[in-house]
């Protein structure tokens, strides 16, 4: 809206006053370019010493990728919004509802969802049937070396750079201490797992006791 865009091969220098530091990211807002990889991390170091101490840090940016033309996917959703939802409530779920409450409650519930023209399993427009989920641009088949070192205090800057997907993130056998959310330092909270939606960032501190772990999202 505000300018004519950056043509292929051109460069453009953005200038803006920094009022903040922390983990942020950027992405394109035109032509579904974000879904085809036009995004990246923006890490802003604090002017003074960082109060979050770590021996090392890595950015882990999650995204969702489609082998289809995103415009074609969008067209399908415009025609039928639940085309990728293969978990629709049908007759058996209706009888489950009847037996767990009553027939009038079950009918009432169906009526409510019908009025909204939605269903209770409508969690995201696109699911794994249309998407592959990526970490730093790599598929789930990929592997990284040298990320974890025993005894090192490691800061992982998680970014949900997806167009559509919520992620539940955990590293089995490692506690995650959340120290920053959306670029703002927070009172540290130690968890086994966190959930974040498109656009959100969480920085966590981990202290590996082995040199191999799975980052699961
Ligand atoms: Cu955006």
């Amino acid at each position: 809206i505000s300018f004519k865009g950056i043509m292929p091969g051109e460069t453009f220098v953005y200038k803006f006053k920094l009022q903040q530091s922390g983990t942020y990211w950027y992405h394109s807002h035109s032509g579904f370019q974000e879904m085809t990889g036009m995004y990246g991390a923006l890490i802003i170091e604090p002017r003074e010493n960082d109060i979050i101490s770590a021996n090392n840090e890595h950015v882990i940016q999650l995204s969702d990728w489609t082998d289809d033309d995103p415009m074609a996917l969008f067209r399908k959703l415009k025609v039928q919004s639940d085309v990728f939802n293969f978990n629709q409530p049908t007759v058996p779920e209706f009888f489950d509802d009847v037996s767990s409450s009553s027939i009038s409650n079950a009918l009432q519930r169906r009526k409510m969802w019908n009025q909204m023209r939605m269903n209770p399993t409508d969690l995201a427009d696109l699911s794994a049937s249309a998407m592959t989920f990526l970490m730093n641009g790599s598929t789930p088949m990929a592997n990284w070396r040298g990320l974890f070192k025993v005894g090192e205090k490691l800061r992982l800057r998680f970014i949900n750079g997806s167009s559509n997907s919520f992620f539940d993130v955990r590293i089995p056998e490692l506690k995650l201490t959340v120290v920053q959310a959306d670029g703002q330092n927070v009172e540290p909270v130690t968890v086994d797992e966190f959930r974040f939606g498109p656009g959100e960032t969480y920085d966590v501190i981990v202290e590996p006791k082995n040199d191999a772990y799975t980052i699961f999202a």
Side-chain angles (χ1 to χ4, degrees):
I1 295 169
S2 54
F3 79 127
K4 62 181 170 48
I6 311 163
M7 292 300 122
E10 280 183 12
T11 59
F12 184 88
V13 179
Y14 287 91
K15 282 186 182 164
F16 52 95
K17 249 206 181 83
L18 287 180
Q19 292 160 337
Q20 72 276 70
S21 60
T23 303
Y24 297 90
W25 68 295
Y26 66 88
H27 57 270
S28 166
H29 263 220
S30 34
F32 297 110
Q33 290 175 344
E34 177 196 343
M35 271 185 88
T36 51
M38 190 64 88
Y39 60 78
L42 278 176
I43 307 302
I44 307 169
E45 304 286 350
R47 193 201 302 266
E48 313 295 337
N49 280 347
D50 202 334
I51 60 160
I52 300 168
S53 73
N55 304 116
N56 212 340
E57 64 171 62
H58 292 282
V59 170
I60 299 180
Q61 186 151 14
L62 308 178
S63 63
D64 43 20
W65 168 271
T66 172
D67 288 329
D68 290 328
D69 174 4
M71 207 55 106
L73 281 185
F74 185 57
R75 200 175 307 121
K76 284 181 196 169
L77 289 171
K78 294 280 264 188
V79 174
Q80 190 190 340
S81 64
D82 57 359
V83 64
F84 296 107
N85 183 353
F86 300 107
N87 193 26
Q88 310 244 4
T90 56
V91 177
E93 286 77 20
F94 177 74
F95 287 111
D96 287 348
D97 279 358
V98 172
S99 63
S100 67
S101 58
S102 69
I103 187 143
S104 65
N105 278 342
L107 285 169
Q108 191 59 40
R109 193 171 299 170
R110 284 293 162 112
K111 196 174 154 221
M112 178 187 77
W113 287 105
N114 286 343
Q115 264 169 358
M116 295 191 288
R117 299 176 67 200
M118 282 180 75
N119 69 60
T121 58
D122 181 8
L123 301 178
D125 289 339
L126 296 171
S127 61
S129 64
M131 301 277 209
T132 300
F133 303 107
L134 306 180
M135 264 184 203
N136 290 358
S138 297
T139 69
M141 299 300 289
N143 198 5
W144 297 331
R145 285 178 179 277
L147 189 65
F148 296 105
K149 291 192 183 69
V150 180
E152 205 173 65
K153 209 171 160 195
L154 184 63
R155 176 179 188 168
L156 298 173
R157 298 175 182 264
F158 282 97
I159 302 169
N160 185 342
S162 75
S163 57
N164 158 96
S165 307
F166 278 73
F167 289 101
D168 290 332
V169 177
R170 62 194 162 90
I171 306 176
E173 293 178 27
L174 263 189
K175 293 277 183 201
L176 312 172
T177 301
V178 178
V179 291
Q180 194 182 93
D182 298 323
Q184 311 296 314
N185 290 339
V186 296
E187 198 70 49
V189 182
T190 300
V191 296
D192 290 310
E193 179 175 306
F194 66 84
R195 170 173 294 176
F196 67 164
E200 292 187 296
T201 75
Y202 277 117
D203 286 30
V204 305
I205 299 285
V206 294
E207 293 182 67
K209 285 154 199 73
N210 289 302
D211 54 10
Y213 289 93
T214 299
I215 301 174
F216 186 88

